[in-house]
């Protein structure tokens, strides 16, 4: 499969046709192709356990680079100072940006919109490296990986892969996983399980593999939704394969399997809910942190948390953490502060704070509370001993709140309108628009939380454990329900994405200037 770039000899007519198709085809449904049932035998899987496209001939020609070079000003082709946002939840996968020079209060009509465009379906946030914005979305029966300039949305290249994924619950059929971008590579993980590596410069496909063909993966509730992570030259993925391929490390350069581990026997599940559930994968993305002087790969999977050595896949410890409800998910990421780990989930689970033992091979509960924080799909933000996040399974009666890290005590929470009723238990929408945000996402920058509510309200909330306040609030016309994709901040530009479900599933991506002007 050959990437299309400006250097290709595309005709003006073909380019025009592509642009027209993008504008007209992004907002509708994803096509009528039904999911095919594939009979898999052990021999088939063994034969397919390899990459299915070309590999680079010279290993040394591909420069992935360690994670540390993701620093302000290190990326090419950028004029504004600031940070990259190259992966899910930002530079350090914690929803925190160190950028400054942002507005502390917004105009009544909000910060200026630099540009906007209709895009395909999905919940994947864009990723930014320098002036490259990588968008992963679905158009018709294709998963589309596109690259634009982040400042002016100038189109650079496009690559596509066929997909027949259908969400069993009627949600979007597009990608959920955010692209992972290095200084020269792009990694994507589609909702149908296709894992791919492309060149950032021109979109050339270096390797791709179908994890559903390579592994025995039970059908998930909403497709694939755990974004991979890079640790050195290992691309680590929550695959969810049985019997012991829950987590798999691939060589990021070649796509070959380096190690695989984690089955249901990692947890003591005898007599517990889910003991007979074959699902291993969750919707919580992976994170690597240093704990007790050692690197830990943390995966909050469907049965619970597991810690592994990221280089070998050896299990350090596991902690059972899941709902009694079958139709439930773990989606918020583990949060690590020093040698403690915070976990949270909705569906009646709540939160727990774990203390990792001095040997790094065990955990003990510091506190456990079913009510203080029930994070659904968004991960709370930690700052100076407190967590700020959204608690609740449905729009009603979810709230934004602050809790004490050490004790789990609720410091404050937003109050929502009384009388709201749940309209659709499947997507969680209520009968009236929330007073504040309902469920939402938040990132932190310059002492403020930039909040995006699920109905499209964008707000500025000071980071303050003593009280809740809202400095600014705006709702752009394009931002509708559901706005479930978290905000992205890079070089003082905020990128927000939504779906207008009430009008046939129109999806939009907006770029907002948080300096208050279009200047650099």
């Amino acid at each position: 499969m050959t990437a299309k770039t400006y250097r290709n000899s595309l005709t003006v007519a073909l380019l025009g046709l592509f642009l027209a198709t993008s504008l007209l085809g992004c907002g509708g449904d994803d096509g009528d192709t039904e999911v095919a049932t594939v009979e898999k035998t052990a021999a088939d899987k063994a034969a397919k356990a390899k990459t299915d496209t070309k590999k680079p001939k010279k290993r040394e020609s591909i420069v992935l680079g360690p994670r540390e070079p993701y620093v302000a000003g290190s990326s090419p082709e950028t004029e504004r100072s600031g940070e990259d946002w190259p992966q899910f939840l930002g530079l350090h996968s914690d929803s925190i940006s160190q950028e400054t020079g942002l507005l502390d209060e917004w105009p009544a009509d909000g910060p200026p919109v630099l540009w906007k465009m209709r895009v395909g379906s999905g919940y994947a946030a864009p990723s930014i490296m320098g002036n490259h914005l990588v968008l992963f979305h679905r158009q018709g029966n294709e998963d589309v990986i596109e690259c634009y300039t982040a400042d002016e949305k100038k189109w650079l290249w496009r690559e596509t892969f066929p997909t027949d994924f259908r969400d069993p619950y009627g949600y979007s059929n597009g990608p959920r996983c955010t692209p992972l971008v290095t200084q020269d590579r792009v990694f994507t993980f589609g909702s149908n399980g296709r894992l791919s590596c492309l060149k950032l410069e021109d979109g050339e496909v270096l390797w791709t593999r179908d994890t559903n063909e390579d592994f025995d993966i039970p059908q998930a509730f909403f497709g694939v939704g755990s974004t991979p992570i890079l640790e050195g030259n290992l691309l680590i993925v929550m695959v969810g394969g049985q019997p012991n391929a829950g987590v798999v490390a691939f060589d990021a350069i070649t796509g070959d399997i380096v190690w695989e581990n984690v089955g249901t026997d990692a947890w003591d599940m005898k007599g517990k809910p889910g003991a007979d559930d074959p699902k291993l994968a969750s919707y919580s993305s992976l994170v690597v942190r240093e704990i007790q002087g050692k690197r830990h790969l943390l995966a909050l999977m469907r049965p619970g948390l597991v810690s592994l050595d990221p280089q070998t896949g050896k299990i350090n410890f596991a902690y059972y953490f899941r709902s009694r409800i079958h139709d439930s998910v773990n989606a918020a990421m583990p949060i690590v502060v020093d040698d403690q780990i915070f976990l949270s989930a909705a569906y009646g689970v709540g939160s727990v704070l774990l203390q990792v033992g001095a040997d790094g091979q065990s955990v003990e509960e510091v506190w456990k509370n079913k009510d203080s924080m029930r994070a659904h799909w968004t991960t709370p933000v930690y700052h100076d001993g407190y967590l700020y996040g959204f608690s609740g399974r449905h729009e009603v009666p979810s709230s934004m709140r602050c809790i004490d890290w050490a004790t789990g005590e609720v410091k404050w929470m937003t109050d929502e309108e009384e009388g709201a009723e749940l309209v659709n238990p499947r997507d969680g929408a209520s009968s009236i628009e929330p007073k504040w945000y309902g469920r939402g996402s938040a990132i932190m920058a310059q002492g403020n939380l930039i909040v995006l509510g699920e109905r499209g309200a964008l707000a500025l909330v000071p980071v303050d454990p003593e009280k809740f306040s809202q400095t600014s609030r705006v709702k752009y016309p394009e931002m509708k329900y559901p706005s479930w994709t978290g905000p992205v901040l890079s070089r003082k530009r905020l990128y927000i994405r939504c779906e207008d479900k009430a009008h046939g599933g129109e999806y939009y991506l907006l770029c907002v200037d948080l300096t208050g002007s279009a200047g650099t």
Side-chain angles (χ1 to χ4, degrees), residues 19 58 170 222-223 247 250 282 383:
L19 293 175
K58 295 183 179 180
F222 314 109
V247 181
F250 299 89
S282 73
H383 182 68

Side-chain angles (χ1 to χ4, degrees), residues 388-400:
Y388 301 84
F390 292 86
S391 180
R393 178 180 175 183
H394 298 303
E395 189 175 37
V396 176
S398 294
S399 63
M400 185 180 183

Side-chain angles (χ1 to χ4, degrees), residues 399-466:
S399 63
M400 185 180 183
R401 57 183 61 188
C402 170
I403 70 170
D404 189 305
W405 172 273
T407 65
E409 176 190 0
V410 178
K411 304 300 292 184
W412 56 255
M413 59 186 289
T414 55
D415 58 315
E416 294 296 348
E417 297 285 355
E418 295 183 1
E421 298 178 353
L422 191 63
V423 173
N424 187 343
R426 182 161 288 183
D427 67 12
S430 69
S431 58
I432 61 175
E433 186 153 344
K435 175 182 177 181
W436 297 107
Y437 318 111
R439 299 168 296 185
S441 306
I443 61 176
M444 189 178 80
Q446 199 174 276
N448 290 303
L449 294 167
I450 301 172
V451 174
L452 179 62
E454 63 180 312
R455 298 261 183 156
L458 187 67
L460 202 58
V461 175
V463 177
D464 185 348
E466 299 302 321

Side-chain angles (χ1 to χ4, degrees), residues 121-124 136-138 143 172-177 189-191 224:
S121 62
Y123 305 123
F136 190 25
H137 56 152
R138 176 169 173 169
D143 276 344
S172 170
N173 296 320
R176 287 93 166 94
C177 296
F189 196 23
S191 53
V224 171

Side-chain angles (χ1 to χ4, degrees), residues 120-300:
S121 62
Y123 305 123
S127 291
I128 315 289
M129 174 59 70
N131 200 31
H132 290 79
L133 180 150
V134 179
L135 179 65
F136 190 25
H137 56 152
R138 176 169 173 169
Q139 295 177 336
N141 291 326
E142 291 183 323
D143 276 344
V144 180
I145 307 167
E146 287 186 290
C147 187
Y148 297 83
T149 59
D151 54 358
E152 297 178 339
K153 70 164 181 176
K154 178 182 177 182
W155 182 77
L156 300 176
W157 54 259
R158 182 178 196 259
E159 188 53 84
T160 65
F161 296 101
T163 180
D164 57 8
F165 172 74
R166 275 285 178 273
D167 186 281
Y169 288 76
Y171 294 102
S172 170
N173 296 320
R176 287 93 166 94
C177 296
T178 296
L180 170 57
V181 183
T182 74
Q183 292 181 13
D184 60 355
R185 292 293 176 269
V186 175
F187 299 92
T188 61
F189 196 23
S191 53
N192 62 349
R194 179 177 288 277
L195 185 65
S196 303
C197 173
L198 299 81
K199 282 187 178 179
L200 176 60
E201 179 183 5
D202 57 16
E204 178 187 350
V205 178
L206 296 173
W207 58 262
T208 180
R209 57 189 309 155
D210 185 342
T211 58
N212 279 307
E213 290 294 324
D214 295 348
F215 302 94
D216 182 8
I217 303 174
Q219 182 178 352
F221 287 121
F222 314 109
V224 171
S226 176
T227 299
I229 192 170
L230 269 177
E231 177 71 2
N233 277 356
L234 292 179
L235 180 69
I236 308 178
V237 182
M238 188 188 296
V239 169
Q242 287 284 4
N244 291 295
V247 181
V248 180
F250 299 89
D251 185 313
I253 297 175
T254 65
D256 294 332
I257 296 173
V258 177
W259 59 256
E260 57 186 75
N261 199 4
V262 187
T264 52
D265 58 353
W267 296 269
D268 179 11
M269 298 177 64
K270 186 176 181 180
K272 296 179 180 178
D276 299 325
D277 188 348
K279 294 182 179 66
L280 284 169
S282 73
Y283 294 86
S284 172
S285 294
L286 303 171
V287 64
V288 176
R289 295 288 187 261
E290 184 170 314
I291 304 174
Q292 299 288 15
K294 178 183 177 181
R295 299 285 282 177
H296 285 249
L297 167 66
L298 299 176
L300 179 54

Side-chain angles (χ1 to χ4, degrees), residues 21 248 273 276 305 368:
T21 303
V248 180
D276 299 325
L305 177 71
K368 191 174 184 178

